[in-house]
Amino acid sequence: MKDYMELPLEINAERLIQLPAGSYLAADMRDEYSCGYGMLDGAVRVGEDELRALWEKGEPLPALAQAMEEGIPIVLYCKYGRISLDAAEALREKGYGNFCSLKGGYGVWALEESRRAAADEERRNEIEKALRKTFRHDLIGRFEKAVVQYNLVEEGDRIAICISGGKDSMLMAKLFQELKRHNKFPFELFFVCMDPGYSPENRSIIENNARLLGIPIEFFETDIFDAVYNIEKSPCYLCARMRRGYLYRFAKDHGCNKIALGHHYDDVIETILMGMLYSGQYQAMMPKLRSTNFEGMELIRPMYLIREKDIIRWRDSAGLHFLQCACKFTENCSSCAADGTSNSKRLETKKLIAALKETVPQVESNIFRATENVVLNKVLGYKIHGEKHSFLEDY
């Protein structure tokens, strides 16, 4: 058996990054939805319940069995390093000395990774080259198809590219830069990121990733996080609504006529099903819509035809790391989503679609196409501009 170095109960991100590959196993304690936004290299996912079963009953964890048998250090991590520290300490007290915790959690590690990459111009060139070659069909091609099919970009537009700091909006910014390189008519891009109250560390992750990717972001500050922090019912929904209002206003004040958001194909079909299952309504997340509160402003979604799995492939191939949500509310809430919905509901919907796909491979495209094939004389009722109508009116 190979001799492995002993790690302290709590290890900081800078030291962990310097350790040689294979000298430890990272174990992600976050929920499945959060893990979808990125994990440490080579990490496996373990749940709190599994670790509790190991601690209380000595039940084995298949994902960690080999590492435990060989004495490989296991680095537990969560969002902020608190839950993982408690777990590592408890397991050590039970005699499992090879467990330790990542100080500060995933966010601190992602910050350290982004710092190391930010000044690497060669790496940026490699990322852009891969985007143009490896991902030309799945990303650039589908982006351009949505722009043309839904007439999202027009001559004379000044578009505010709204960046949250996540994988979707950062990729959208790069795709807009590619579109601009070959534009057939004049339009302007304005890359903007609203800071609703990020911690300095989380804002630095966004800044470093933007620097690496060559995205000239302009930040503006708001106090949205403080405003919604004490709201008990649907704080994420309120936060999302407030964010959009601030983005519209800031974009309009800077001469923009459109704002672009990074919602993708999977967001679209999941939102359709969530509306049916949880709200009793059938409606689509539209590729573009006019603002009702800001005259002359329009919202566009140019990633409408791009699959999330391809965004994840791009992110992982580029070695990029992003945060799911950088608000302080998520320190006490494991079911927050950036779009104002519940993670648990969206995750349930993702799993439902995945289960259906096992027997109906085309289920995703069927859900999407259903929004284009609504037969109005075969529905009980419908709404137009908020006014409700019944099939009996024309019966």
Side-chain angles (χ1 to χ4, degrees):
M1 183 174 69
K2 183 179 177 180
D3 290 329
Y4 291 93
M5 68 178 71
E6 287 193 14
L7 299 182
L9 174 62
E10 196 171 31
I11 184 171
N12 63 42
E14 185 177 3
R15 182 182 174 192
L16 187 67
I17 288 172
Q18 293 172 350
L19 294 179
S23 63
Y24 68 92
L25 174 65
D28 197 321
M29 295 180 63
R30 297 173 301 158
D31 61 85
E32 186 176 342
Y33 189 87
S34 299
C35 290
Y37 281 78
M39 301 169 68
L40 269 67
D41 298 333
V44 297
R45 183 172 172 266
V46 295
E48 283 186 67
D49 291 340
E50 293 177 281
L51 290 170
R52 189 174 294 108
L54 173 64
W55 178 74
E56 292 179 349
K57 305 174 185 176
E59 295 181 2
L61 280 75
L64 307 181
Q66 183 176 350
M68 293 178 66
E69 183 179 345
E70 297 180 6
I72 300 174
I74 297 170
V75 180
L76 302 175
Y77 69 93
C78 56
K79 283 185 180 180
Y80 302 100
R82 299 167 187 167
I83 298 172
S84 58
L85 178 58
D86 289 343
E89 193 168 23
L91 287 165
R92 282 197 174 204
E93 289 177 357
K94 282 284 188 177
Y96 301 109
N98 57 339
F99 282 90
C100 64
S101 171
L102 174 58
K103 188 174 183 179
Y106 178 78
V108 171
W109 180 85
L111 173 60
E112 186 62 31
E113 276 286 289
S114 69
R115 278 178 181 156
R116 291 158 59 90
D120 192 343
E121 186 174 349
E122 182 179 349
R123 186 174 167 196
R124 179 198 307 168
N125 293 334
E126 291 175 355
I127 291 172
E128 291 179 347
K129 183 179 178 181
L131 187 60
R132 292 166 191 155
K133 292 189 175 182
T134 308
F135 297 97
R136 167 153 290 280
H137 176 267
D138 293 329
L139 296 181
I140 293 179
R142 291 181 180 178
F143 184 86
E144 292 177 345
K145 181 179 179 180
V147 167
V148 173
Q149 182 171 322
Y150 301 116
N151 195 27
L152 301 181
V153 179
E154 300 171 287
E155 185 173 350
D157 278 345
R158 178 169 166 79
I159 307 170
I161 315 303
C162 301
I163 296 172
S164 67
K167 67 184 191 310
D168 305 330
S169 60
M170 282 292 192
L171 173 59
M172 177 179 67
K174 291 306 297 178
L175 292 172
F176 261 115
Q177 287 181 328
E178 287 299 307
L179 185 69
K180 183 67 176 171
R181 287 178 69 239
H182 307 289
N183 62 295
K184 298 178 181 178
F185 51 79
F187 65 91
E188 296 180 43
L189 302 177
F190 177 51
F191 300 93
V192 59
C193 180
M194 182 190 64
D195 184 340
Y198 293 138
S199 69
E201 295 79 13
N202 287 335
R203 175 154 166 169
S204 291
I205 293 175
I206 299 173
E207 292 171 335
N208 291 338
N209 280 331
R211 191 176 304 117
L212 168 63
L213 294 171
I215 303 169
I217 294 180
E218 179 163 337
F219 283 86
F220 72 99
E221 284 74 29
T222 70
D223 59 356
I224 291 178
F225 283 172
D226 288 335
V228 303
Y229 186 67
N230 293 317
I231 302 296
E232 294 184 5
K233 188 175 182 181
S234 302
C236 296
Y237 174 77
L238 179 60
C239 178
R241 291 295 298 269
M242 292 178 68
R243 281 171 182 248
R244 189 166 301 179
Y246 275 106
L247 286 168
Y248 267 128
R249 184 176 294 107
F250 188 79
K252 188 171 185 178
D253 289 345
H254 285 74
C256 298
N257 64 312
K258 293 178 179 178
I259 66 171
L261 302 183
H263 297 118
H264 48 69
Y265 184 96
D266 296 74
D267 288 327
V268 174
I269 61 175
E270 289 162 13
T271 299
I272 293 168
L273 272 189
M274 288 173 68
M276 295 172 62
L277 298 175
Y278 299 109
S279 302
Q281 60 184 3
Y282 182 80
Q283 60 181 16
M285 176 185 281
M286 302 298 286
K288 64 179 182 179
L289 53 90
R290 294 188 177 92
S291 172
T292 56
N293 298 319
F294 296 88
E295 187 177 355
M297 294 294 294
E298 191 174 10
L299 181 154
I300 61 173
R301 295 184 171 102
M303 295 179 63
Y304 205 75
L305 302 178
I306 293 178
R307 297 304 310 268
E308 186 176 28
K309 62 181 176 62
D310 294 319
I311 300 174
I312 291 172
R313 281 200 306 120
W314 167 78
R315 178 202 67 194
D316 292 346
S317 72
L320 297 169
H321 300 278
F322 305 102
L323 290 182
Q324 167 200 351
C325 178
C327 83
K328 57 188 178 183
F329 185 77
T330 57
E331 295 184 27
N332 303 312
C333 174
S334 62
S335 59
C336 298
D339 59 0
T341 64
S342 164
N343 276 357
S344 58
K345 291 179 180 177
R346 187 166 291 279
L347 185 56
E348 284 175 4
T349 308
K350 280 180 180 290
K351 289 180 177 179
L352 174 60
I353 294 172
L356 291 170
K357 191 175 179 179
E358 292 181 4
T359 53
V360 187
Q362 67 276 19
V363 66
E364 293 154 316
S365 61
N366 284 348
I367 295 171
F368 187 89
R369 287 172 53 240
T371 63
E372 302 174 326
N373 295 301
V374 178
V375 183
L376 287 180
N377 65 341
K378 295 290 186 179
V379 297
L380 295 177
Y382 57 93
K383 288 182 180 180
I384 298 180
H385 303 305
E387 183 178 347
K388 192 170 183 178
H389 297 270
S390 168
F391 81 100
L392 292 173
E393 294 174 14
D394 300 311
Y395 184 73

